[in-house]
Amino acid sequence: MRTSQPLTNVEEKETWPDGSVSWVVSSKFPLRDIEGRIIGTYGISHDFTARKRAEEALASLVLRHQTLLHTASDGICVLNEQGQVVEANTAFCRMLGYSREELLPLNVANWNAQWSREELLAKIRELIAHPALFETRHRRKDGNVIEAEINCVSTQLEGQTYLYTSTRDITARKRA
């Protein structure tokens, strides 16, 4: 038996009398005789409500995450185990004077003004094992150095370890 492409493939949202909603995809296929002529059609419907709800929940979660990330007043930066930037919010970019496009290819060693690259890698390994709140100094794109308070925690996602950092510029507080 040879398989046929559907004549129609329609995704529909159905609202039931009780107000509940379901999502169904209906496909209509040609029914052929032994010589391959179309003599009718047959249909298959598949309810994909659970998948649709999961997709909507995921989209909502992503939107909440992006909103939180980009409206936070503290700088948020996600680093991989080698100190490469994976994600950064607007506040972090502004704090260091970089655009997001300029910051994403950087490594923490590009802006940390306190430790060498080797010391930073050791610090990252330590922070992955033991999250902490600590102070350091960051060099902005314009060369000015700011005092920074960093709170970080590590997490595993899809087999990779990441360091999530929340950074606050405490330069004014330290001067006072």
Side-chain angles (χ1 to χ4, degrees):
M1 179 177 183
R2 72 184 179 183
T3 58
S4 298
Q5 293 297 319
L7 295 173
T8 60
N9 205 11
V10 179
E11 196 173 286
E12 298 175 297
K13 178 181 177 180
E14 295 180 349
T15 304
W16 296 92
D18 68 359
S20 64
V21 173
S22 63
W23 288 88
V24 178
V25 63
S26 300
S27 301
K28 191 180 286 186
F29 294 87
L31 185 60
R32 299 179 186 271
D33 66 15
I34 197 155
E35 295 172 359
R37 293 180 301 234
I38 296 175
I39 58 172
T41 60
Y42 67 96
I44 298 175
S45 292
H46 175 72
D47 184 330
F48 67 100
T49 304
R51 186 188 86 207
K52 189 72 169 176
R53 287 186 180 142
E55 288 170 355
E56 290 170 350
L58 180 59
S60 176
L61 182 63
V62 167
L63 180 61
R64 288 195 313 258
H65 164 78
Q66 289 174 337
T67 302
L68 178 63
L69 180 68
H70 293 292
T71 60
S73 56
D74 284 346
I76 298 172
C77 183
V78 180
L79 304 171
N80 68 16
E81 292 178 275
Q82 292 75 43
Q84 289 298 128
V85 177
V86 174
E87 182 64 74
N89 72 347
T90 305
F92 191 76
C93 294
R94 192 177 318 114
M95 184 184 306
L96 294 182
Y98 291 98
S99 70
R100 188 168 186 279
E101 292 73 26
E102 291 172 318
L103 190 68
L104 286 178
L106 297 182
N107 184 289
V108 65
N110 295 113
W111 68 79
N112 187 280
Q114 184 164 327
W115 297 302
S116 69
R117 183 177 289 272
E118 294 76 27
E119 290 170 322
L120 283 168
L121 287 173
K123 183 75 171 170
I124 289 170
R125 286 190 298 274
E126 175 189 328
L127 292 168
I128 286 171
H130 306 287
L133 175 69
F134 63 97
E135 293 180 8
T136 188
R137 291 188 314 275
H138 287 343
R139 180 171 283 100
R140 293 175 38 86
K141 181 181 174 183
D142 64 12
N144 290 324
V145 175
I146 62 169
E147 300 289 331
E149 178 182 77
I150 300 175
N151 191 2
C152 62
V153 64
S154 67
T155 192
Q156 287 256 333
L157 296 171
E158 299 173 347
Q160 300 291 317
T161 302
Y162 298 99
L163 195 59
Y164 280 68
T165 67
S166 177
T167 304
R168 182 170 291 164
D169 182 347
I170 59 169
T171 306
R173 184 175 86 191
K174 294 281 264 188
R175 284 186 187 141

